[in-house]
Amino acid sequence: MILFLFILIPVLGAFAAWLSAAWNKKLPRWIALMVLVFELAMATAFWSEAVGDGSWYVTFIRPWMPRFGISFSLAMDGLSLLMLILTFFLGALSVLVSWNEIKERTGFFFFNLLFVLAGITGVFLTMDLFLFYFFWEVMLIPMYFLIGIWGHGNRLYAALKFFIFTQAGGLLMLLAILGLYFVHAQSTGVFTFNYFDLLNTPMAQETGRWLMLGFLIAFIVKLPAFPFHTWLPDAHTEAPTAGSVVLAGLLLKTGAYGILRFVLPLFPEASQYFAPYIMLLGAIGILYGGKLAYAQTDFKRLVAYTSVSHMGFVLVGAFAFNELAYQGVVMQMITHGISTGALFMIAGSLYDRLHTRELEEMGGLWPALPGMGVVTMVFVMASLGLPGLGNFIAEFLILAGSWQAQPWITVAATIGLVVATVYSLRIMQKVFFGVSVREYKLPDLSLREALMFVPLVIVIIWLGVYPQPVINTAKPATPAVAVHFTSK
């Protein structure tokens, strides 16, 4: 029942936030914050006491449309649990970052924010492929509204581009789900969308490869991987700060989660067949995203392209078929969400003060904003993979694992760390050091901003110094996504 509550509570909170705006425009943000803090506390408490049979902690199954083999099937393992904690943690911070930024239609804003988080929660918990597709689409519409209504200048174009790319990928996945559904029925005589029943579906080699590509394209569009990444910079740049945090920290992770949960276990032969090409695509994305990040003059657009680069490591690690690389991918999903989410929050805070995101119009901010400078330094160092911070652990595990599968691709991916150092240090140089372009008298970190950034700093350092609890939680889930594979 707890799994159902994880989804139901944000949905009920979304409607409560929307309706409460009729009485008080400040009430929706308090409702949203309380809902997400409660969800985070519930998930963290579950983590501290989590026990289960094998890799699964708890399951929840109710018939939905049994005639078609559709059930309301939810399950949680270590991977799902970690993603839920990340979702509610960044969700609560997204409410705080929107506290003063969103002044119009606050009820509808927090309705959409909570609803997109409910959809993301459903994606991380569902074990029925029809239900998975349902939640996959549920994420799409509220995010479209968040960008299209509360975004910046070119918001409608960015929202439409986001919608078209992700909807097209989702339709390909729907066709692949239906294909797998009928292939399984043809082989077994049973029509079902249940994940566990579909795991070992006998199918022709060529059929498996085509179906796998249907799932994979949908997930790498959302990831996003080169060359399907072009929607991301526009969406990030035009979205409100909370929208950018949810996009970078959570929506991108649904693509990575889909690869680990569905692509690899459902299509083991096809995954091995395409693995070298997908790893190469990941390495290209690492270098290409890093190069474009360095070329940007808009702070948010720069951070957006770093996501393309960092998510390339997910493809390299996921298709290395190595437990070490798998653990690195899970760490990368978490640490990237935290570090990149924090950089978008910093971009939003600077925009509130300076009313610009152009790096060329900044410079010399450290004397005026020393607290903000320290926080930015931490997450810039995390982004470039400094030892002692969480991103280093993630990328080190991925590269150590992928070396056993494809050494030359690993070398190319490692060069991306040098590129990351260049564009990350450029942020500090352009924003906080260098020559000041004007005289600044700006307020440093407020209490609300300190409540946002201090937990992020603590978590990214904790993951860099003591990542073992996260690795131990993810490890039992490894057979569920990689049990079919052996090192090459």
Side-chain angles (χ1 to χ4, degrees):
M1 190 64 182
I2 188 174
L3 301 183
F4 181 60
L5 289 176
F6 276 132
I7 300 170
L8 181 63
I9 291 172
V11 172
L12 296 177
F15 284 101
W18 192 6
L19 295 174
S20 68
W23 288 279
N24 189 325
K25 288 187 176 181
K26 295 182 179 180
L27 200 53
R29 63 192 188 188
W30 282 105
I31 292 174
L33 183 62
M34 286 188 293
V35 165
L36 292 167
V37 169
F38 176 74
E39 291 273 88
L40 177 61
M42 197 162 61
T44 306
F46 188 93
W47 189 21
S48 66
E49 301 173 0
V51 291
D53 182 14
S55 63
W56 298 97
Y57 297 132
V58 61
T59 58
F60 177 85
I61 302 176
R62 293 292 184 275
W64 187 11
M65 290 178 268
R67 180 180 177 185
F68 301 103
I70 300 172
S71 62
F72 197 88
S73 176
L74 307 175
M76 180 193 287
D77 64 354
L79 177 60
S80 305
L81 178 56
L82 291 171
M83 291 299 101
L84 283 191
I85 292 172
L86 179 68
T87 299
F88 302 135
F89 179 56
L90 291 181
L93 295 178
S94 297
V95 174
L96 286 176
V97 84
S98 308
W99 206 257
N100 297 324
E101 181 180 340
I102 305 301
K103 297 179 174 64
E104 300 295 329
R105 305 175 73 176
T106 54
F108 192 49
F109 176 86
F110 288 107
F111 168 83
N112 283 287
L113 182 62
L114 286 171
F115 222 89
V116 74
L117 293 173
I120 293 168
T121 302
V123 164
F124 290 144
L125 290 178
T126 185
M127 290 291 113
D128 182 280
L129 267 66
F130 182 88
L131 189 63
F132 176 81
Y133 178 75
F134 171 81
F135 282 119
W136 187 264
E137 294 301 303
V138 163
M139 297 187 302
L140 185 59
I141 297 171
M143 182 53 68
Y144 173 84
F145 285 133
L146 287 174
I147 300 171
I149 297 176
W150 294 277
H152 300 285
N154 208 15
R155 58 185 180 271
L156 291 178
Y157 167 78
L160 188 61
K161 193 173 183 180
F162 160 77
F163 189 90
I164 290 172
F165 267 77
T166 50
Q167 179 73 358
L171 290 175
L172 275 177
M173 181 173 66
L174 177 61
L175 292 175
I177 289 172
L178 292 173
L180 183 60
Y181 174 77
F182 287 113
V183 167
H184 182 271
Q186 189 176 31
S187 301
T188 65
V190 177
F191 288 93
T192 181
F193 286 96
N194 185 276
Y195 171 79
F196 301 104
D197 294 336
L198 294 171
L199 269 178
N200 298 303
T201 301
M203 66 183 81
Q205 191 176 77
E206 187 174 352
T207 302
R209 291 174 182 177
W210 280 110
L211 293 178
M212 178 264 198
L213 286 176
F215 280 89
L216 180 69
I217 291 172
F219 295 142
I220 64 176
V221 166
K222 189 64 72 74
L223 196 60
F226 173 87
F228 303 102
H229 67 284
T230 57
W231 64 268
L232 181 72
D234 293 310
H236 271 316
T237 304
E238 306 304 337
T241 305
S244 296
V245 173
V246 172
L247 268 173
L250 302 174
L251 253 72
L252 273 58
K253 306 308 174 294
T254 61
Y257 175 85
I259 290 172
L260 297 180
R261 177 70 77 212
F262 296 101
V263 171
L264 301 183
L266 290 173
F267 309 102
E269 187 280 330
S271 296
Q272 283 199 320
Y273 176 79
F274 288 112
Y277 309 105
I278 299 170
M279 291 180 72
L280 179 61
L281 205 64
I284 292 171
I286 292 169
L287 298 171
Y288 179 77
K291 177 182 180 297
L292 288 182
Y294 179 75
Q296 302 308 308
T297 59
D298 184 294
F299 196 154
K300 285 185 75 175
R301 204 169 183 88
L302 188 160
V303 179
Y305 276 111
T306 69
S307 292
V308 177
S309 182
H310 288 304
M311 289 296 96
F313 282 99
V314 169
L315 286 183
V316 171
F319 287 87
F321 306 133
N322 177 283
E323 186 176 354
L324 204 61
Y326 163 78
Q327 293 169 0
V329 169
V330 176
M331 284 289 295
Q332 180 76 343
M333 291 162 70
I334 296 169
T335 57
H336 172 268
I338 291 167
S339 61
T340 305
L343 288 173
F344 277 119
M345 291 179 190
I346 290 164
S349 296
L350 290 174
Y351 183 80
D352 286 343
R353 290 164 169 80
L354 305 173
H355 306 294
T356 182
R357 294 192 305 264
E358 287 295 320
L359 297 178
E360 300 300 330
E361 296 180 20
M362 300 182 191
L365 282 176
W366 191 285
L369 301 173
M372 185 78 72
V374 170
V375 169
T376 307
M377 178 73 81
V378 170
F379 291 107
V380 162
M381 294 298 107
S383 184
L384 64 81
L386 185 75
L389 299 172
N391 299 56
F392 170 77
I393 302 294
E395 289 165 1
F396 177 81
L397 290 172
I398 289 171
L399 294 173
S402 63
W403 175 263
Q404 302 174 38
Q406 297 288 343
W408 287 110
I409 290 177
T410 306
V411 169
T414 306
I415 295 172
L417 298 179
V418 180
V419 180
T421 303
V422 175
Y423 67 65
S424 297
L425 292 178
R426 180 170 176 264
I427 293 174
M428 290 304 300
Q429 176 65 28
K430 287 289 186 180
V431 178
F432 289 98
F433 302 123
V435 179
S436 177
V437 296
R438 50 182 166 168
E439 207 56 45
Y440 293 110
K441 291 184 179 178
L442 302 170
D444 204 359
L445 291 177
S446 65
L447 177 61
R448 176 181 59 85
E449 289 171 329
L451 289 173
M452 287 160 36
F453 292 122
V454 170
L456 288 165
V457 170
I458 292 171
V459 170
I460 202 69
I461 293 174
W462 170 58
L463 290 172
V465 175
Y466 186 53
Q468 203 59 47
V470 172
I471 292 173
N472 289 343
T473 303
K475 190 172 183 178
T478 306
V481 297
V483 71
H484 302 281
F485 309 119
T486 55
S487 297
K488 294 183 179 181

